[in-house]
Amino acid sequence: MYNTGALEPITILVIDDNEEPNRELVARLRAFIRLKTAEKALVKAETKYQRLFETMIMGYAHHRMIVNAQGKAVDYKFLEINPEFEKITGLKREKLLGKTVFEVFPQTEMYWIDRYSKVAFTGKEERFVNFSSDMNRYFEVYAFSPAEGEFSTLFYDVTDRELAKGKLEKYNQNLQQLNNDRNKFFQIIAHDLKSPFNSLLGFSQLLVEHINNKDYDGIDKYAKAIEKTSRQSYELVINLLEWARTQTGRIDFSPELFELSDLVNKILLLFDPIAKDKSIGIKNTMAQKTILFADKPMINVVLRNLISNAIRFTPSGGEIAIADESTKDAVTVKVSDSGVGMTNDRLEKLFLSDNIDSAPDTNNQKGTGLGLILCREFVDRHGGRIWAESEVGKGSAFCFTLPYNTEKA
């Protein structure tokens, strides 16, 4: 015998299954061993899943719904969160557990209470992408119910993916718009550019025949028709080229200082013969010495198109007025006419790129509307605004505002 000191004596049982009194003891020992084995497995599993809970790269939160006396969900309480939840949201566990969502996020919409209550009480899982305005991030969320009246959420940051998706969608939209614009471009070339050249060829042939036959009566009529058609064709070609350059990004934005009234006067000199031919009076009340810092060629295109349209849509004997109004920050230019006017439906579509079309002018000639598209694009480049006011039979007024100080777009 060894001296075991303070150790308790060990009793060794020799169990014989054939002995009736020992069978119950054997069964109890075996059950005890199974229980201890299960407990060890449970502890091991808990340790494993605790590590997973603490190291997972997804945010996790567990909640219990709060209902009113009528059984309607009105709030929910935080029961558990993982470290990644703290990392993503910046909210600490000790300040969150036991609190309701309205205590933590007072601006929470009832939409989310209703949505999560359906998960908690029906057991139906949900997966969705949500944008957090507080964190300015996108999250993919998976919501499920581990027990009735409770729900859990797993979420992870998908901001990069959503931004890339948004860029791709925008790229596809731009590509589709470019394809549409290209088709319209070719339609204009095929129709609107072809028609005036047919007129030029026809009038030129008549003029040549009259001269060959020494029949000079009325040839001035053909000459004027040729001059007018040539001028319209030239304006269309210029607009087409300018528009094509805007679509390919080949137009540089180069602001400079210049006097606005001086630019208007030079444009009016170009249109003076056309206005006189229709007996149209032009009233110019532009203020002198209005210095603007802008891209001069672009503003030239804007003014040229607006004045040209005013002359085209004003009947003989009508009047056009050009005026400006200045504030400390910007100048507004207004080109008004006593022409045929427009309906509200046409007004709404004037500056849209998918509306390259125009109503017939006083000579029943239909344009492309491309000039107004250019005007809008060039005014936009300056950070300004362009709009139109009109009433059928009472004329139209086209206005655009430009800031005095324009930074490069």
Side-chain angles (χ1 to χ4, degrees):
M1 296 292 291
Y2 295 98
N3 182 10
T4 57
L7 295 178
E8 295 181 1
I10 300 175
T11 301
I12 300 177
L13 297 176
V14 178
I15 299 173
D16 185 351
D17 286 348
N18 293 322
E19 294 184 15
E20 189 69 28
N22 291 328
R23 287 180 180 175
E24 183 179 352
L25 179 59
V26 171
R28 289 181 179 180
L29 284 172
R30 285 175 176 169
F32 177 76
I33 292 170
R34 285 196 298 270
L35 178 61
K36 287 297 182 182
T37 303
E39 286 180 351
K40 288 181 180 180
L42 181 60
V43 170
K44 186 177 181 180
E46 287 180 346
T47 302
K48 177 181 177 181
Y49 287 110
Q50 182 66 29
R51 289 175 182 170
L52 176 63
F53 179 78
E54 293 174 352
T55 59
M56 64 192 300
I57 60 174
M58 297 178 68
Y60 170 82
H62 183 59
H63 316 82
R64 180 185 296 119
M65 297 304 305
I66 299 174
V67 298
N68 60 17
Q70 290 73 39
K72 178 177 174 56
V74 293
D75 205 341
Y76 59 81
K77 183 178 292 186
F78 287 87
L79 301 182
E80 186 59 272
I81 64 170
N82 71 338
E84 189 64 18
F85 182 101
E86 294 181 288
K87 181 179 177 182
I88 292 174
T89 65
L91 298 170
K92 296 303 179 182
R93 187 172 185 273
E94 60 271 15
K95 294 185 178 181
L96 197 63
L97 299 189
K99 298 289 183 64
T100 69
V101 70
F102 282 116
E103 289 176 321
V104 181
F105 302 109
Q107 303 302 319
T108 300
E109 298 176 0
M110 282 303 298
Y111 164 81
W112 293 107
I113 307 297
D114 295 337
R115 185 168 192 173
Y116 285 133
S117 69
K118 289 179 182 178
V119 176
F121 292 111
T122 67
K124 186 177 180 180
E125 302 171 354
E126 279 209 44
R127 186 186 295 272
F128 55 89
V129 174
N130 179 44
F131 176 74
S132 171
S133 56
D134 293 328
M135 291 177 278
N136 196 33
R137 309 292 292 176
Y138 287 92
F139 297 99
E140 183 161 331
V141 182
Y142 171 60
F144 62 96
S145 176
E148 186 176 359
E150 298 180 3
F151 73 96
S152 296
T153 55
L154 288 167
F155 60 95
Y156 59 96
D157 194 326
V158 292
T159 302
D160 292 341
R161 185 190 74 187
E162 292 301 310
L163 291 178
K165 185 193 298 184
K167 289 180 181 178
L168 182 60
E169 290 175 355
K170 186 175 181 180
Y171 174 79
N172 288 333
Q173 291 173 358
N174 290 339
L175 185 61
Q176 183 63 46
Q177 186 62 51
L178 285 174
N179 287 334
N180 293 339
D181 290 344
R182 181 201 62 185
N183 293 336
K184 291 167 187 173
F185 182 80
F186 287 124
Q187 288 173 8
I188 292 170
I189 293 176
H191 179 267
D192 294 273
L193 201 55
K194 180 180 177 181
S195 296
F197 274 100
N198 285 335
S199 297
L200 284 174
L201 292 172
F203 284 124
S204 299
Q205 185 176 356
L206 286 173
L207 185 61
V208 170
E209 289 176 358
H210 276 256
I211 292 175
N212 288 338
N213 294 330
K214 295 183 171 40
D215 181 7
Y216 304 116
D217 292 336
I219 62 172
D220 61 325
K221 178 179 65 176
Y222 299 127
K224 286 182 179 180
I226 291 172
E227 188 273 335
K228 183 177 180 180
T229 304
S230 298
R231 184 177 60 250
Q232 291 175 343
S233 302
Y234 174 77
E235 289 181 5
L236 176 58
V237 169
I238 292 299
N239 278 339
L240 282 170
L241 292 175
E242 291 287 349
W243 182 70
R245 289 173 65 199
T246 64
Q247 302 307 301
T248 56
R250 295 177 61 187
I251 292 185
D252 293 327
F253 183 79
S254 303
E256 59 182 290
L257 290 171
F258 63 91
E259 188 179 333
L260 186 58
S261 61
D262 182 60
L263 180 61
V264 171
N265 290 332
K266 289 179 179 178
I267 294 173
L268 289 179
L269 285 176
L270 295 175
F271 287 105
D272 186 62
I274 309 169
K276 286 181 177 178
D277 186 55
K278 293 181 69 174
S279 300
I280 293 175
I282 298 180
K283 184 180 179 182
N284 179 15
T285 59
M286 291 286 292
Q288 301 296 315
K289 305 301 181 183
T290 300
I291 304 299
L292 193 65
F293 183 67
D295 188 294
K296 191 174 181 179
M298 287 188 184
I299 304 306
N300 180 73
V301 170
V302 174
L303 289 167
R304 178 169 52 80
N305 272 284
L306 296 185
I307 294 172
S308 174
N309 284 347
I311 294 174
R312 285 183 55 210
F313 290 96
T314 299
S316 297
E319 186 176 88
I320 294 170
I322 304 170
D324 65 341
E325 181 178 344
S326 296
T327 64
K328 64 177 183 178
D329 299 318
V331 60
T332 299
V333 179
K334 182 176 183 179
V335 179
S336 54
D337 61 63
S338 58
V340 295
M342 289 174 285
T343 62
N344 289 333
D345 182 60
R346 178 162 290 278
L347 267 176
E348 293 174 358
K349 300 177 180 178
L350 275 180
F351 302 100
L352 301 179
S353 59
D354 58 352
N355 185 54
I356 300 181
D357 190 13
S358 177
D361 61 17
T362 55
N363 291 320
N364 205 33
Q365 292 185 334
K366 194 173 182 180
T368 63
L370 188 59
L372 291 179
I373 306 302
L374 277 175
C375 291
R376 188 208 69 204
E377 292 189 6
F378 287 168
V379 171
D380 286 348
R381 286 288 294 273
H382 286 78
R385 187 171 71 94
I386 187 169
W387 70 97
E389 302 165 353
S390 186
E391 187 176 344
V392 176
K394 295 186 178 181
S396 304
F398 285 79
C399 310
F400 65 95
T401 297
L402 297 173
Y404 285 126
N405 297 317
T406 305
E407 296 181 359
K408 188 171 183 180

